[in-house]
Amino acid sequence: MGFRMANIDGRAALVDGVHYYDVETTSAGGVPSDPMEALTYADELSELQATLDTSEPSGRLADVTLDAPVPRPRNCFGIGLNYADHAAESGMELPTSPVVFTKFPSCIVGPTADVEMRSDGVDYEVELVVVIGLGGKDIAKKDVWDRIVGLTIGQDISDRPVQFSASPPQFNLGKSFDTFGPIGPYLVSPDLVADPSNLRLSTKINDEVRQDGTTSQLIFDIPALVSYISHITTLTTGDLIFTGTPDGVGVSQGKLLQHGDVITSVIQDLGTMTNRCVRVSDYATP
């Protein structure tokens, strides 16, 4: 039995149907309320999830706003060009090793947060996000799933003018504006996901489907990515890895995000995120 964890007002909660259950209250103090600390209690969360049908709900999901299920990761990695069709639409060769960049952890926001745009060149990228549980160094591929506490949906929002302002392009700043990392709605343990290697993921902008692919198209799969990164830097509990996006991004279609657009991100078994785009200002240029 796995678990589905949300962050409600900064407190970890388990989700079952239309209700949520505060983990500290439901466990009688056995599991801490801080979502980052709760990540180290995966076994206890699974056991607690199994008892929810006899527990008193803390409230209804419809009455609360969900925050990022992993609100304060130490590290947040992104993987570029990890779907062949996306590499093709970008006019770039297939990578021979993972293209790893960082999204500053300060960009992480919740599954209904506004995306605050500071140019007319902002783009969307739906991604499966891996959350590290038991971290470590030099993790073997065969051991990777034992080190993953959960999966969630992410949008790797990107300001293309900043991303491509230098030659060669630099991804970090253009993908790290505040609010450029919506994740959620829940952290779902891998044992509640039918097949992480073949999950359908999609992006809809307003009423138009823009992206529709499956994780079976990943060039570098999850074990390969986690093992590769861990051979370079020690991974810690709560580290995030955005694993890449399928084709259909806005820049390739001439359909970049506009003020008032609504991004709906869906991944099979993980749920749905809905984020509204708001043009707040311009950023300063050098």
Side-chain angles (χ1 to χ4, degrees):
M1 178 68 179
F3 63 91
R4 185 171 280 103
M5 190 183 84
N7 175 359
I8 299 172
D9 292 330
R11 295 180 64 87
L14 294 178
V15 173
D16 186 29
V18 299
H19 294 107
Y20 69 89
Y21 301 75
D22 183 89
V23 298
E24 185 177 44
T25 301
T26 307
S27 68
V31 180
S33 63
D34 186 329
M36 297 304 299
E37 293 183 34
L39 295 177
T40 64
Y41 288 77
D43 291 342
E44 291 85 350
L45 289 171
S46 292
E47 293 169 3
L48 197 60
Q49 184 92 38
T51 70
L52 295 185
D53 56 351
T54 60
S55 300
E56 182 69 23
S58 302
R60 293 174 57 86
L61 290 168
D63 298 330
V64 298
T65 298
L66 300 180
D67 296 322
V70 184
R72 301 184 307 279
R74 190 191 73 164
N75 290 314
C76 182
F77 302 96
I79 309 298
L81 305 175
N82 202 23
Y83 287 73
D85 287 348
H86 176 52
E89 73 174 349
S90 302
M92 298 185 182
E93 296 182 359
L94 294 182
T96 56
S97 61
V99 178
V100 182
F101 57 90
T102 56
K103 288 176 71 72
F104 302 161
S106 56
C107 79
I108 298 299
V109 290
T112 62
D114 287 348
V115 172
E116 298 180 355
M117 305 187 302
R118 298 178 186 274
S119 82
D120 295 322
V122 178
D123 210 343
Y124 53 85
E125 297 185 6
V126 66
E127 311 211 1
L128 175 65
V129 178
V130 169
V131 182
I132 299 299
L134 177 64
K137 179 75 172 172
D138 299 331
I139 301 170
K141 291 181 183 179
K142 65 180 179 62
D143 298 327
V144 161
W145 283 108
D146 293 333
R147 307 299 185 97
I148 293 173
V149 68
L151 304 170
T152 193
I153 305 171
Q155 269 288 343
D156 178 21
I157 305 296
S158 308
D159 187 295
R160 300 303 189 190
V162 170
Q163 181 180 351
F164 293 102
S165 62
S167 183
Q170 61 85 15
F171 287 15
N172 301 353
L173 283 178
K175 292 173 174 284
S176 293
F177 283 66
D178 291 349
T179 76
F180 273 24
I183 62 170
Y186 316 119
L187 175 75
V188 181
S189 62
D191 44 0
L192 289 186
V193 177
D195 183 1
S197 67
N198 190 25
L199 295 176
R200 182 162 294 280
L201 67 170
S202 65
T203 298
K204 185 166 68 174
I205 305 301
N206 303 322
D207 295 322
E208 180 185 6
V209 176
R210 298 278 185 88
Q211 294 182 282
D212 186 13
T214 71
T215 56
S216 64
Q217 300 167 298
L218 286 170
I219 297 171
F220 302 101
D221 64 12
I222 290 171
L225 294 174
V226 173
S227 179
Y228 178 78
I229 294 172
S230 77
H231 278 74
I232 296 168
T233 185
T234 301
L235 294 173
T236 62
T237 301
D239 283 354
L240 304 179
I241 303 175
F242 284 65
T243 59
T245 198
D247 66 330
V249 298
V251 69
S252 68
Q253 305 176 66
K255 294 180 177 180
L256 293 164
L257 293 168
Q258 299 180 22
H259 176 79
D261 280 349
V262 175
I263 308 169
T264 303
S265 313
V266 180
I267 299 185
Q268 176 186 344
D269 295 343
L270 302 184
T272 300
M273 289 199 312
T274 304
N275 303 95
R276 185 172 65 100
C277 299
V278 180
R279 182 72 152 85
V280 293
S281 67
D282 294 334
Y283 51 74
T285 56

